[in-house]
């Protein structure tokens, strides 16, 4: 499966000749590794009937937590990073090492530097896997677990350095696959931890909201269809304005600038089927709704201001509709705004023939939701 032009996994598999023999050897090696790791790692805590169905019951629960077993999980995960149980086994091994040491005879916790090196080595092990399997949840989750262990076990200054390096790394990764939502979600978590550790290290609050907002601008300018960047931007705006201590006039000016940005993006290709632009537009116009909602970042707009905004948006979209009559999103947004305007002033001064035409066209373009369009027609009736 590919997403945004980036393959989830890479490489065809041979089914005949020498390639087939090589593949068969890999399968045998893989199944041997699965049995070996399951036999040595699975703890008594996880004893169940399911285990006995899969494994030889006499070999289960050996709990051999050594570097050799860790290396076996490495080889297994290089073959199949989707095997999430092995990631959990790897966590068990490292947790054991951190508290008991990798040698069963040692039974003493490792020092901070040794723990740091284990974490750094494991982070390095993950890099080629992420490049090959950028959409694999388990790699991202495990990488985050490693860094969380750094925050839990290492001095704050040391952990802070690791998280800062991770922020630089995820920036490079997003430059290669700018719409990878795994990477964007991961980045927001990394930023959160960097901010938290910065406070612990420097005893002062160091917000990254401004820089992260600027980062979304940069990524959107390079690719308007970056849904994750638009979504991240919408999550940053309320915090950004709060941190700026923005008053009503400043919030309103910010809204106007964001509307200009999204209008330019929509005008770049009025007939585009790109939903990300329309979703961000929907987020912005939620400020015009009569009822309170959690998305409003300009909460004190008067009813007259809201109605004027709605009227302006309708006029702009009507102009955009010329030459883009096959874009259902324009009709849908015109109907949304018309309903919004009606709720604001009790009636909406758009000719009923226009509304009927919009409903007829959007029903043709999106017949699966004809019930929804019919309900909108009833709500917009004079």
């Amino acid at each position: 499966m590919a997403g945004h032009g980036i393959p989830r996994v890479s490489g065809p598999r041979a089914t005949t000749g020498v390639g087939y023999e090589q593949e068969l050897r890999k399968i045998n090696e893989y199944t041997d590794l699965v049995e070996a790791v399951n036999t040595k790692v699975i703890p008594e805590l996880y004893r169940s009937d399911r285990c006995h169905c899969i494994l030889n019951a006499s070999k289960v629960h050996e709990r051999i937590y050594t570097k050799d077993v860790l290396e076996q999980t490495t080889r297994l995960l290089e073959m199949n990073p989707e095997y999430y149980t092995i990631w959990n086994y790897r966590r068990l091994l490292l947790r054991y090492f951190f508290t008991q040491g990798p040698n069963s005879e040692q039974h003493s916790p490792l020092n901070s530097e040794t723990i740091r090196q284990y974490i750094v080595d494991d982070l390095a092990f993950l890099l080629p896997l992420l490049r090959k399997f950028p959409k694999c949840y388990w790699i991202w989750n495990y990488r985050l677990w490693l860094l969380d262990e750094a925050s839990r076990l290492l001095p704050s200054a040391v952990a802070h350095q690791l998280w800062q390096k991770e922020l630089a790394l995820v920036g490079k990764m997003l430059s290669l696959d700018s719409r990878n939502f795994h990477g964007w979600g991961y980045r927001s978590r990394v930023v959160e931890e960097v901010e938290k550790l910065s406070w612990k290290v420097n005893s002062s609050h160091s917000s990254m909201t401004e820089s992260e907002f600027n980062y979304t601008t940069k990524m959107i300018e390079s690719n308007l269809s970056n849904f994750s960047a638009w979504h991240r931007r919408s999550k940053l705006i309320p915090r950004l304005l709060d941190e700026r201590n923005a008053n009503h006039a400043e919030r309103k000016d910010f809204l106007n600038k964001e509307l200009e940005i999204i209008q330019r993006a929509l005008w770049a290709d009025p007939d585009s089927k790109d939903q990300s632009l329309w979703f961000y537009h929907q987020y912005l116009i939620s400020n015009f709704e009569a009822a309170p909602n959690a998305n409003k970042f300009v909460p004190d707009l008067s009813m007259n201001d809201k109605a004027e905004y709605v009227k302006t948006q309708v006029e702009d979209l009507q102009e955009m509709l010329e030459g883009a009559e096959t874009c259902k999103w324009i009709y849908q947004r015109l109907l949304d705004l018309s309903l919004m305007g009606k709720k604001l002033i009790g009636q909406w001064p758009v000719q009923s023939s226009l509304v009927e035409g919009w409903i007829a066209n959007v029903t043709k373009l999106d017949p699966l939701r004809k019930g929804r369009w019919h309900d909108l027609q009833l709500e917009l009736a004079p």
Side-chain angles (χ1 to χ4, degrees), residues 176-223:
L176 298 174
D177 183 8
S178 64
R179 297 192 293 175
N180 185 343
F181 73 92
H182 300 279
W184 278 94
Y186 187 79
R187 182 184 177 92
S188 65
R189 177 67 180 83
V190 171
V191 167
E192 178 185 340
E193 192 66 21
V194 169
E195 289 179 328
K196 186 189 302 182
L197 288 170
S198 294
W199 184 86
K200 288 183 178 180
V201 172
N202 303 317
S203 299
S204 62
H205 179 63
S206 179
S207 173
M208 298 179 63
T209 307
E210 288 280 357
S211 61
E212 282 300 289
F213 185 78
N214 293 335
Y215 181 76
T216 66
T217 302
K218 171 188 170 183
M219 299 302 281
I220 287 166
E221 287 175 347
S222 65
N223 186 348

Side-chain angles (χ1 to χ4, degrees), residues 227-275:
F227 183 96
S228 295
W230 289 111
H231 175 73
R232 175 72 171 147
R233 192 178 185 86
S234 70
K235 296 301 180 183
L236 289 168
I237 286 174
R239 183 180 173 186
L240 179 73
L241 294 174
D242 287 344
E243 289 182 2
R244 289 179 179 178
N245 293 316
N247 58 32
H248 174 71
E250 291 167 336
R251 287 173 177 270
K252 190 174 178 181
D253 182 60
F254 185 92
L255 172 62
N256 292 338
K257 290 178 180 177
E258 289 301 298
L259 285 169
E260 289 176 11
I261 290 171
I262 197 64
Q263 287 293 119
R264 287 198 301 270
L266 290 170
W267 269 104
D269 186 6
D271 199 27
S272 173
K273 305 299 190 294
D274 185 0
Q275 299 179 35

